Amino acid sequence: MNAQLKSTFIKAVVPAVIGIAVVIWLFMDDFNPKAWDLLQINGRTIAAFLLALVFVAGRDLGLTWRFRTICDGSLSWRRALKVDIMCAFTSAITPSAVGGSALAVFYLNREGISVGRATTLTLTTLLLDEMFFVIFCPLLVLILPVRELFGTGQDELLMKSVEVVFWVVYAGIVIWSAILFTGIIAKPEWLEKLILKLFNLRWLRRWQKGAQDMMNNMKTTSAWVKNRSRRWWLEVFCATTLSWFSRYFVVNSLFWGFVPAASGLLVFGRQFVVWVVLMISPTPGGSGVSEWLFTTYYGDLISNLSVALVIATIWRLLSYYIYLFTGVCLAPSYFRKNKNATD
């Protein structure tokens, strides 16, 4: 095993160990063996699990469809799926604040897309993801009462903390989306002048070259996306929406099978909150934080905390460990092969 593959394997093991350790800790502290008696395995629960698997596939279908579309069909469905899986794997082994999108440039380049074009495509996907959150958050707040959306559990301090973190992160998403939208869609020249003037200040001058490179990439992306048709925009946004909705519906499926009395709309809305909060998780792939947050945040919708822990474990298996395992299997051949594009 060469140094790169060894490093990749170690990075995959660390988040897995963190996640498993937290699950064991939660099980030891809160789990009651009688919880398995409450989780009746019947036709409904089996159907719910199979439906959750369908939505896992829906998440990958959406992102694969988006990668193929933004590349104007230059990637086959198989190669686009490989890029999607490797991005998900990177997200699983890096802190959530870093994510897998940053390495999409590398993975697209390995599949024959030049670095310059891959950077343009990655910025486009980043804009689409950010705009999804910006658009759907106000809709959720209009539909769901804020108090229900952020939980009414016994730990009021935690629930309030979740709400504060959510709005702080969402504000950051809005600001970053505004920068991307201005630099890519609205006024790239105006933003370039503003950014370069800002980074000309003495205490920011050391990052001036990086700011210039970012603006050059945004201008290139702007010139490219302005030639895209309305149908293209509709297709990539539908693919983005399919992917994110599918992520959320995995949990909806599990609740439908194991806690059918819970409000499906509320379960969906809280998934939106969970994913936003996890964007600043310091652990790889949100390991540990995800399990703890899920069991606590959804506690008021589930009568038994042990049941909540079991559902959280199944959720993480489907939304996290499946990509960790797949990525570990795919990485050796992926990193060994010669890339198809030059820099």
Side-chain angles (χ1 to χ4, degrees), residues 96 121 132 239 333:
S96 299
L121 300 178
F132 170 84
S333 62

Side-chain angles (χ1 to χ4, degrees), residues 188-257:
E189 296 83 6
W190 178 86
L191 182 64
E192 180 182 30
K193 291 179 181 178
L194 176 64
I195 293 294
L196 294 183
K197 186 175 181 179
L198 178 65
F199 279 84
N200 197 38
L201 297 174
R202 183 186 307 171
W203 56 86
L204 294 177
R205 201 167 292 166
R206 69 174 66 179
W207 297 291
Q208 190 176 51
K209 185 181 184 304
Q212 180 67 72
D213 291 341
M214 182 183 74
M215 292 316 305
N216 289 338
N217 289 331
M218 280 196 181
K219 286 197 300 182
T220 302
T221 305
S222 176
W224 181 74
V225 299
K226 285 180 179 179
N227 294 322
R228 303 297 96 187
S229 65
R230 292 181 179 178
R231 179 179 177 178
W232 183 90
W233 279 107
L234 178 63
E235 193 168 344
V236 293
F237 191 75
C238 285
T240 301
T241 303
L242 170 63
S243 173
W244 280 106
F245 272 39
S246 293
R247 293 176 201 243
Y248 301 162
F249 282 137
V250 169
V251 175
N252 275 84
S253 300
L254 297 177
F255 267 81
W256 174 72

Side-chain angles (χ1 to χ4, degrees), residues 278-336:
L278 288 178
M279 286 183 181
I280 61 168
S281 171
T283 60
S287 300
V289 178
S290 299
E291 293 84 355
W292 171 78
L293 179 61
F294 187 98
T295 54
T296 307
Y297 185 41
Y298 280 102
D300 61 328
L301 299 181
I302 307 173
S303 59
N304 189 296
L305 189 58
S306 298
V307 174
L309 182 53
V310 172
I311 296 175
T313 303
I314 298 173
W315 167 60
R316 286 295 280 171
L317 285 171
L318 295 177
S319 64
Y320 172 71
Y321 286 101
I322 189 173
Y323 296 108
L324 197 62
F325 175 77
T326 307
V328 167
C329 294
L330 183 61
S333 62
Y334 199 84
F335 285 114
R336 276 200 301 265

Side-chain angles (χ1 to χ4, degrees), residues 20-33 36 306 309-311 313:
I20 293 171
V22 171
V23 168
I24 292 174
W25 172 66
L26 289 171
F27 264 86
M28 290 176 62
D29 192 44
D30 298 315
F31 186 69
N32 183 344
W36 293 108
S306 298
L309 182 53
V310 172
I311 296 175
T313 303

Side-chain angles (χ1 to χ4, degrees), residues 110-127:
R110 300 289 290 189
E111 292 300 331
I113 307 297
S114 67
V115 171
R117 187 182 176 207
T119 303
T120 295
L121 300 178
T122 301
L123 279 174
T124 305
T125 60
L126 185 59
L127 173 63

